[in-house]
Amino acid sequence: MPQALSLLQTASGDDDASVVVAGLVFFGLVIAPVLLVIGALVVAHRVLRARRVRRPPLDTGTLVRLSLLGLSAAYEAVSTGLMSGPVWMSARKYCNARGFPADRITTRTFPLSMRCGPDGELVPSWVNPVLVAGLTLALATLTAAALTAYRTRRRTWAS
């Protein structure tokens, strides 16, 4: 996260980068669950409609929407993981308030982790698996969408 902050600071020319990152994280906590629910409903509707019209259920558009669903799940996981640490107070005060020793505080970007002492993991255990699963789903379905589009174009060119 410090690398992203320095990149934003150099791009904007001022020190408002932390406000931008905090805004993106807060936005993720609010909008990502909404995107997940709406995306799941849209994908289910497209699959059921394709079945009724007798088309393949996983066409290019449905696969792209599934990849966006995976990205929004990953966005929610990252937002939750980043907000699980101290946002408004110092890390030492936060660890002490949670009942963990604040003698050694470690953070990692991937996998998302913030530890207070040896046992005080602040990031929920579901964050990293959801992050990896969402990114994997997004990459796999985007690749499948590209292959489906290529095969469809190839069939129409051959005709």
Side-chain angles (χ1 to χ4, degrees), residues 75-101:
Y75 185 40
E76 172 67 22
V78 167
S79 297
T80 302
L82 291 177
M83 289 301 295
S84 63
V87 177
W88 59 91
M89 63 174 64
S90 73
R92 290 196 187 282
K93 287 182 184 178
Y94 189 76
C95 289
N96 287 331
R98 297 284 305 257
F100 297 117

Side-chain angles (χ1 to χ4, degrees), residues 80-153:
T80 302
L82 291 177
M83 289 301 295
S84 63
V87 177
W88 59 91
M89 63 174 64
S90 73
R92 290 196 187 282
K93 287 182 184 178
Y94 189 76
C95 289
N96 287 331
R98 297 284 305 257
F100 297 117
D103 56 343
R104 188 171 150 218
I105 300 168
T106 57
T107 59
R108 286 193 328 208
T109 305
F110 188 78
L112 281 173
S113 174
M114 181 179 176
R115 289 186 170 273
C116 298
D119 299 328
E121 179 64 51
L122 299 178
V123 176
S125 61
W126 62 268
V127 167
N128 289 314
V130 169
L131 174 63
V132 170
L135 292 176
T136 303
L137 175 69
L139 183 64
T141 53
L142 204 57
T143 304
L147 288 173
T148 304
Y150 173 73
R151 288 181 184 155
T152 304
R153 295 274 186 201

